[in-house]
Amino acid sequence: MGVKSVTDMANLKSLAKDTAIYGISSIVGRFLNYLLVPLHTWFINPLSGGYGIVTEMYAWAALLFVVLTFGMETTFFRFANKQEENESMVYSTALRLVGSVGLLFLLIVFCFLGPISNRLGYTDHPEYVGCFALIAAMDAFQAILFSRLRQQHKPVKFMALKMAFIIPNVLLNVFVFWLMPKLFVTFPTLETIYIKYNYGVGLVFFVNLLCTFMVTFGFLKELKGIAYGFDTKLAKRMLSYAWPLLLLGLVGILNQVFDKIAFKHIVSDPVEGQVQLGIYGACCKIAMILALLTQAFRYAYEPFVFGGDKDKNSSETMAQGMKFFVIFGILAFLGVMFYLPILRYLVTNHDYWVGLKVVPIVMLAELFMGIYFNLSFWYKLSDQTWWGAVMSGIGALVMISINVLFVPKYGYMACAWGGFAGYGTCMLLSYFIGQKKNPIDYPLADMAKYVLLAAVLYVIYYFCKALPVWAELMINTLLICIYIAYLLKKDLPVSSLPVVGKWFKRDTTISA
């Protein structure tokens, strides 16, 4: 094995380690958030449209987050790791830029809270809009603080602060939906509040706001960085790099949330649309495990690639990084689909289950998005971020067109296929354009073998769905084991695994 190969393997191990650390925080955090899905779907009647409100408002929060961070997370990594830049000044400038935009946004929203609420269909609850404006502004500001932790390789504090939001948020949600109703007899005022805010749905938003605000106190050390100063010339250069990322982020998030934001405005009956949106949103939660994998990979990969070491962003490392992302992305897809008879119970009210047919489509869309993210570094590293805006814009146009044309007839199934087509378009464009601008020898043949194997296993799974659940799960477990066995034999031999590999090597030595 050559020096270059050894270096690439060391880089991949470093990336895997960081991905695992951030992945643990994401997995634990997302698991705790998953506890809200059975809680919400148990207490929120699908016919009330309450979960549709939750789905729509959080979709708006995701869109606003992208607007208010305007690409400054990636921009911060890019400039902080340039040798000619003052790292502390880059950090302080980024904080001030995002903070100032957030304050301006809040001023505009609260000056026009009534008209905005009316337009969104929340005339009776403008407080929902104001609440999410505050949440989005604080989340955006905290994004730079969290980026600082990633840039300084402080995953433990990163994870602790993520948990500091998630655990209280889950516990307070349990209080709102399970304990609070038990107190109505003793405290009748609580019942009035509960009913006023859509039978607890609105209280979920206030809980989120409280927990987000409390996390800010965990960043006292990082907040001192805002005093490092503000460099006007640096800010202009950072904004010049960031604005295409803003466009990229906007069209990217539109691919994720446009269907949820526009759904009730596209269908003929907005009330029924709210109900259908709730069903769609609840079932999409099951598919979000791939979004979790992509997020964990992104948390580790961005500071890894932008770290300034050419070996880390070598074409060989990126090619292998892509390969293993696809391998484990497919494994996640198969795992969710094969154990859907169990995972569907996360959605506790069976009236929501009619929407489970969107799960495989949404998961494939998430896989396409993850691959697209992996393909995006050719234009980020060459400071040609406008390419990302163009490609994502085309993908968003495809997705929006499918939604507008087909949602009135096919409902939320068109939403799922719109995301699939939109991200698929982005992925293909980025690959073919990237290969012309910055060719990377991706191991397409190796990845194709995993795709083919997964397709065969999925066909077997599909025809076994008519069996009793116990038999189906046994067969599906065997199918998963086949995939894992192929992975261990082909690309991840047991001797290379941490802990287990050491025991394997020791046993081999003893036997010899």
Side-chain angles (χ1 to χ4, degrees):
M1 183 179 292
V3 176
K4 189 69 174 179
S5 299
V6 172
T7 302
D8 289 335
M9 184 58 68
N11 288 332
L12 285 172
K13 287 182 177 180
S14 174
L15 174 61
K17 178 182 176 182
D18 286 352
T19 302
I21 294 173
Y22 289 116
I24 289 171
S25 66
S26 296
I27 290 168
V28 173
R30 194 63 67 96
F31 173 76
L32 292 174
N33 268 328
Y34 271 153
L35 296 180
L36 296 180
V37 177
L39 178 73
H40 289 165
T41 53
W42 179 265
F43 287 100
I44 301 175
N45 190 319
L47 298 181
S48 71
Y51 204 80
I53 298 174
V54 173
T55 301
E56 182 185 1
M57 294 307 295
Y58 277 101
W60 275 111
L63 177 62
L64 290 173
F65 175 82
V66 171
V67 173
L68 296 177
T69 52
F70 51 94
M72 199 50 63
E73 289 178 281
T74 301
T75 302
F76 165 67
F77 284 121
R78 180 61 172 159
F79 280 77
N81 288 294
K82 286 185 175 182
Q83 293 183 352
E84 66 271 20
E85 302 290 355
N86 183 318
E87 178 187 316
S88 298
M89 183 60 72
V90 170
Y91 173 57
S92 181
T93 300
L95 269 183
R96 293 194 184 195
L97 285 171
V98 174
S100 299
V101 169
L103 290 174
L104 178 61
F105 165 75
L106 290 176
L107 179 63
I108 294 172
V109 168
F110 282 99
C111 283
F112 299 97
L113 186 59
I116 294 173
S117 302
N118 294 341
R119 184 68 184 86
L120 295 178
Y122 293 101
T123 304
D124 296 333
H125 291 286
E127 65 275 12
Y128 293 175
V129 176
C131 181
F132 268 92
L134 287 167
I135 291 171
M138 284 194 286
D139 277 347
F141 188 70
Q142 288 180 8
I144 306 301
L145 299 172
F146 275 115
S147 294
R148 180 63 164 176
L149 295 180
R150 290 160 58 198
Q151 187 250 344
Q152 294 184 328
H153 301 289
K154 295 181 178 180
V156 175
K157 184 171 183 178
F158 179 98
M159 181 168 59
L161 289 175
K162 288 290 184 182
M163 294 300 104
F165 167 82
I166 292 167
I167 294 175
N169 185 51
V170 171
L171 293 177
L172 288 172
N173 269 266
V174 171
F175 170 80
V176 167
F177 287 108
W178 181 69
L179 185 58
M180 189 174 174
K182 298 180 184 297
L183 302 175
F184 289 166
V185 175
T186 309
F187 303 99
T189 304
L190 290 180
E191 184 175 11
T192 304
I193 295 172
Y194 189 80
I195 295 172
K196 177 182 178 182
Y197 294 112
N198 295 98
Y199 295 89
V201 169
L203 298 179
V204 171
F205 308 150
F206 302 137
V207 164
N208 191 319
L209 177 61
L210 174 63
C211 294
T212 302
F213 176 74
M214 294 301 295
V215 168
T216 306
F217 291 100
F219 284 111
L220 292 178
K221 181 178 179 180
E222 285 71 28
L223 283 169
K224 294 177 182 178
I226 203 168
Y228 294 158
F230 183 84
D231 188 325
T232 304
K233 292 182 179 179
L234 172 63
K236 289 180 179 178
R237 286 187 284 114
M238 292 177 71
L239 289 172
S240 177
Y241 181 88
W243 76 261
L245 291 177
L246 169 60
L247 295 178
L248 170 62
L250 274 176
V251 292
I253 198 64
L254 281 174
N255 268 318
Q256 295 182 52
V257 303
F258 175 83
D259 50 355
K260 302 172 184 67
I261 289 173
F263 190 86
K264 71 178 185 181
H265 303 287
I266 298 175
V267 296
S268 56
D269 183 354
V271 176
E272 177 62 20
Q274 197 84 64
V275 173
Q276 295 299 311
L277 178 59
I279 294 172
Y280 175 59
C283 292
C284 281
K285 293 289 186 181
I286 298 175
M288 287 299 104
I289 190 169
L290 261 175
L292 180 155
L293 177 64
T294 302
Q295 183 186 53
F297 193 82
R298 178 192 167 206
Y299 281 158
Y301 210 23
E302 280 190 328
F304 178 85
V305 171
F306 289 124
D309 186 344
K310 291 183 179 180
D311 286 330
K312 291 183 177 181
N313 52 47
S314 69
S315 59
E316 292 87 353
T317 300
M318 289 187 175
Q320 290 301 309
M322 169 68 81
K323 175 182 174 179
F324 282 102
F325 176 83
V326 170
I327 289 172
F328 286 103
I330 292 173
L331 179 60
F333 172 82
L334 294 177
V336 170
M337 294 311 304
F338 289 176
Y339 292 101
L340 193 58
I342 296 174
L343 293 175
R344 65 185 177 180
Y345 286 97
L346 283 170
V347 181
T348 45
N349 190 323
H350 294 191
D351 290 337
Y352 286 97
W353 286 10
V354 66
L356 288 174
K357 54 184 176 288
V358 305
V359 173
I361 307 167
V362 174
M363 288 200 74
L364 287 175
E366 289 291 337
L367 180 60
F368 291 166
M369 183 181 71
I371 294 172
Y372 176 49
F373 168 77
N374 277 272
L375 292 168
S376 69
F377 285 99
W378 69 265
Y379 59 78
K380 290 180 180 178
L381 288 168
S382 60
D383 293 348
Q384 300 180 67
T385 46
W386 58 272
W387 270 112
V390 171
M391 291 182 292
S392 293
I394 295 172
L397 183 61
V398 170
M399 180 273 300
I400 292 172
S401 298
I402 291 175
N403 274 265
V404 172
L405 291 173
F406 297 108
V407 162
K409 183 176 181 179
Y410 298 103
Y412 53 72
M413 287 302 297
C415 297
W417 283 111
F420 177 92
Y423 281 126
T425 300
C426 293
M427 176 184 68
L428 292 173
L429 285 174
S430 188
Y431 174 76
F432 288 111
I433 296 175
Q435 289 301 90
K436 288 184 177 295
K437 299 291 183 179
N438 182 33
I440 293 177
D441 186 19
Y442 292 110
L444 298 181
D446 289 344
M447 291 188 285
K449 291 176 183 177
Y450 282 96
V451 173
L452 180 60
L453 174 60
V456 172
L457 297 177
Y458 189 84
V459 170
I460 297 172
Y461 146 79
Y462 184 82
F463 283 105
C464 292
K465 290 172 69 175
L467 296 173
V469 172
W470 65 268
E472 181 187 354
L473 288 174
M474 287 183 64
I475 293 173
N476 291 348
T477 300
L478 176 62
L479 297 177
I480 281 284
C481 289
I482 292 173
Y483 185 90
I484 294 174
Y486 179 79
L487 167 60
L488 293 176
K489 181 179 180 180
K490 186 78 169 61
D491 288 293
L492 205 64
V494 176
S495 59
S496 69
L497 297 176
V499 182
V500 178
K502 292 180 180 179
W503 282 99
F504 177 83
K505 289 177 181 177
R506 192 178 76 171
D507 289 345
T508 303
T509 303
I510 292 174
S511 299

